[in-house]
Amino acid sequence: AHWNTMAATDFFTVEVWSWRGLVTHYVLAFMDLSTRKVCLGGITTNPNTVWMMQMAKNVTDVFDGFLLNKRFLIMDRDTKYCEAFRHLLSTSGIEPVRLPPRSPNLNAYMERFVKSIKSECTDRLVLIGERSLYRAVDQYIDFYNGERFHQGMDNQLLTKLEMSTDD
């Protein structure tokens, strides 16, 4: 009954070469569970409270935020999802649903996306600089949303599913 009002989020890390050596970048992604459409939240080397608040503001924007018309956001208990982040979601009408510890199966769709992007994209590239990471992740998400067949959605493209629901 709540399928159309649910979204999920997760972080994953990518190692990127820079002039300082190998640097860990944190990638934040969001998924609309009913359509499987994915949105890149942001990429940073330091996901602190200020950065997380900006990400929450971006996805809850009343005009074009990714979480527009969503009521629930599934997330794990990672400390990066700080109290201020969860509070901003709550004041925007989105209930943060924190999963029990060590239960990745409860966020299975998002975890599967993370596995896909890592195995099909970031693990296959030598990324030099944050711009190359951003470009690779952004292009993979475009591919995932528009050109990749989804077995759990009857091997359809997400764009074809969106067009059929618009009719």
Side-chain angles (χ1 to χ4, degrees), residues 102-119:
R102 295 185 216 109
S103 58
N105 290 343
L106 297 180
N107 198 2
Y109 296 108
M110 197 65 216
E111 295 291 342
R112 182 61 177 113
F113 168 76
V114 169
K115 181 180 178 184
S116 295
I117 194 170
K118 289 186 104 169
S119 66

Side-chain angles (χ1 to χ4, degrees), residues 34-166:
S34 63
T35 64
R36 306 297 199 285
K37 186 174 181 177
V38 174
C39 166
L40 173 62
I43 298 173
T44 186
T45 57
N46 183 22
N48 57 23
T49 301
V50 174
W51 187 81
M52 289 301 294
M53 291 297 291
Q54 186 60 53
M55 296 304 103
K57 289 175 186 175
N58 292 349
V59 296
T60 60
D61 184 68
V62 295
F63 297 110
D64 64 349
F66 186 75
L67 297 179
L68 197 61
N69 301 321
K70 299 297 176 200
R71 290 189 44 223
F72 303 99
L73 180 64
I74 298 172
M75 64 183 70
D76 55 26
R77 292 190 174 268
D78 195 328
T79 57
K80 292 183 250 342
Y81 300 116
C82 57
E83 179 63 36
F85 176 81
R86 295 190 312 270
H87 179 70
L88 188 86
L89 290 173
S90 295
T91 58
S92 299
I94 300 166
E95 181 182 336
V97 179
R98 296 181 75 198
L99 300 175
R102 295 185 216 109
S103 58
N105 290 343
L106 297 180
N107 198 2
Y109 296 108
M110 197 65 216
E111 295 291 342
R112 182 61 177 113
F113 168 76
V114 169
K115 181 180 178 184
S116 295
I117 194 170
K118 289 186 104 169
S119 66
E120 296 173 16
C121 180
T122 60
D123 288 353
R124 296 177 179 265
L125 300 172
V126 177
L127 300 163
I128 301 172
E130 187 173 342
R131 289 187 72 194
S132 66
L133 171 62
Y134 181 82
R135 189 176 317 112
V137 170
D138 193 47
Q139 288 180 358
Y140 182 83
I141 289 175
D142 286 346
F143 163 74
Y144 185 88
N145 289 336
E147 299 177 32
R148 186 176 190 270
F149 292 97
H150 295 267
Q151 187 175 16
M153 305 291 271
D154 295 326
N155 283 324
Q156 296 290 316
L157 298 173
L158 295 183
T159 51
K160 285 187 179 182
L161 290 171
E162 287 175 3
M163 287 189 285
S164 66
T165 59
D166 292 341

